[in-house]
Each structure stands twice: as structure tokens, then as C-alpha cells.
Amino acid sequence: MNKFIIADNQELTRFALESLIRQKGHGEIFSAHDKAGLVQLLKEHEDAVVVLDYTLFDFADENQLLIIAERFSLAQWILISEDLTPQFLRSIVYLSNQFSIVFKDGTLKDVRDALEAVSHHNRHISQRVLESILNQQQQEQEEQPSILTETETEIVRAIAQGKTTKEIANERFSSIHTITTHRKNIFRKLGVNTAHEVIKYALRAGLVDSSEFYI
């Protein structure tokens, strides 16, 4: 039988969560009212399921939360909050598989599904959470062209069109060394390692038409 630690300082929410857990006979319930109390309960019940409203607790940042989760590696977590940023959600989802996540203002079914999932040692990420992460990633990709200078953007276009470093240098009346330096800066800024990855970036960013590029 699972043990649940409810870490939520809203009395009505805590009552509702306790009722849902008892309805399904999921397990024994404990309450934590601050980070220190939560850690103490985890010391006593290392394999508990923690149902946490992160925004109402005294965590400095998500790294502190992740450190505690790593320390108590047998525990499972359900994050249930009204307002979690896409950056926070992405960090939690990508850096740890201990966390399920639902929004507090989401559907009752989402919360029930999360409780059911963790009862069987599975993970539940609500559709809305996934959409929030994907939307943020798409927005970042759309904003990426601004990190390149005008010259670098033109060189990216030339690379996507299949031009060599020597050809780009001749067209721009620059030295091969100068173009090579630009290429290194472009690769570093975009976080890529090959010209092929630069071409894919150019297509995603709309810097070239698909009929222009060369692979």
C-alpha cells in the first residue's frame, strides 16, 4: 500500500486530495506544511508519493527540488500547481523521471489519472503540460534567428545553398580565415556541430526556401 505525503498549504485543496486518495483506497496519508517538514517525512517514508504544490512551498528553485528528489530516489512526486512556467516544466520533465505533473485548475480526471498512475509506479504528464513545453520550444526556435548577426545569417544561407568556405569568402571579398571564424561562431551560437545541422536550422528558421538548399 502506498504512503502519500500531501504538501499543499491550501486547506481546501488538501481536503480534496485526501478525499480522492481515500476514495480509491490508495494508501496512508501524511501532511507537510514546509520544506523541512517534507524532508523529515521523507526520511521516515522514503518510498512515499509526494503530492506537492511547488508554488506554495519554500523551495528556492527547481534545482533544490530536484536535489531533494534525487536524495530520496524511491519517492514519487505529483506536482499540482496553478502556475508553473514552461522553463520550470521542461527542467522537471527532462531532468527527472520521478515527477508526474498536472495543473491545479485542470480537470479532476487529470488528478485522478495521476494518482492512479503513481499507485502503479508509472508517470503521468498532463496533455496541457506537454503542450506548454512544446509551445515554449517552438517559440525559442522562432526567436533564434535574432542571435545571429546579419553577416552570420547571410553565411548560413550560403552554407544551406551548398557553397564552400572558399566560395563564400570569394563572394564576400573576405579571407578564408574570416569565413572560418564566422562558421565557428555560427556553430557555437546554434549549438550544432555540422553543416548539415546548420542547413536544418536554416530551413526551420525560414532563412532559405527548400528549393534553395543543398545536402
Side-chain angles (χ1 to χ4, degrees), residues 65-66 69 77 79 92 96-101 123-125:
L65 174 60
L66 288 165
W77 300 69
L79 297 186
I92 296 298
S96 174
N97 61 7
Q98 291 175 254
F99 290 88
S100 296
I101 310 177
R123 189 185 196 189
H124 176 82
I125 307 295

Side-chain angles (χ1 to χ4, degrees), residues 52-160:
L52 168 70
D53 187 334
Y54 171 83
T55 60
L56 297 181
F57 258 56
D58 52 335
F59 287 97
D61 53 30
E62 66 264 30
N63 290 326
Q64 194 174 69
L65 174 60
L66 288 165
I67 288 169
I68 292 175
E70 185 177 0
R71 176 182 173 189
F72 298 100
S73 59
L74 297 179
Q76 298 178 82
W77 300 69
I78 300 175
L79 297 186
I80 175 169
S81 300
E82 289 182 3
D83 186 25
L84 295 170
T85 66
Q87 293 91 340
F88 173 89
L89 293 171
R90 186 162 59 181
S91 294
I92 296 298
V93 169
Y94 289 169
L95 296 178
S96 174
N97 61 7
Q98 291 175 254
F99 290 88
S100 296
I101 310 177
V102 295
F103 283 111
K104 188 174 280 188
D105 59 348
T107 65
L108 187 58
K109 181 180 183 301
D110 248 348
V111 180
R112 283 179 172 149
D113 287 348
L115 290 170
E116 188 67 27
V118 298
S119 294
H120 295 89
H121 301 282
N122 295 320
R123 189 185 196 189
H124 176 82
I125 307 295
S126 77
Q127 183 63 31
R128 191 170 142 203
V129 169
L130 293 174
E131 288 173 357
S132 178
I133 293 172
L134 291 173
N135 288 339
Q136 177 69 15
Q137 289 175 333
Q138 184 177 357
Q139 183 180 346
E140 288 176 357
Q141 287 180 348
E142 291 171 352
E143 291 174 350
Q144 266 192 321
S146 63
I147 69 176
L148 299 179
T149 66
E150 184 177 345
T151 297
E152 289 167 345
T153 300
E154 291 173 358
I155 292 173
V156 166
R157 287 195 183 99
I159 292 172

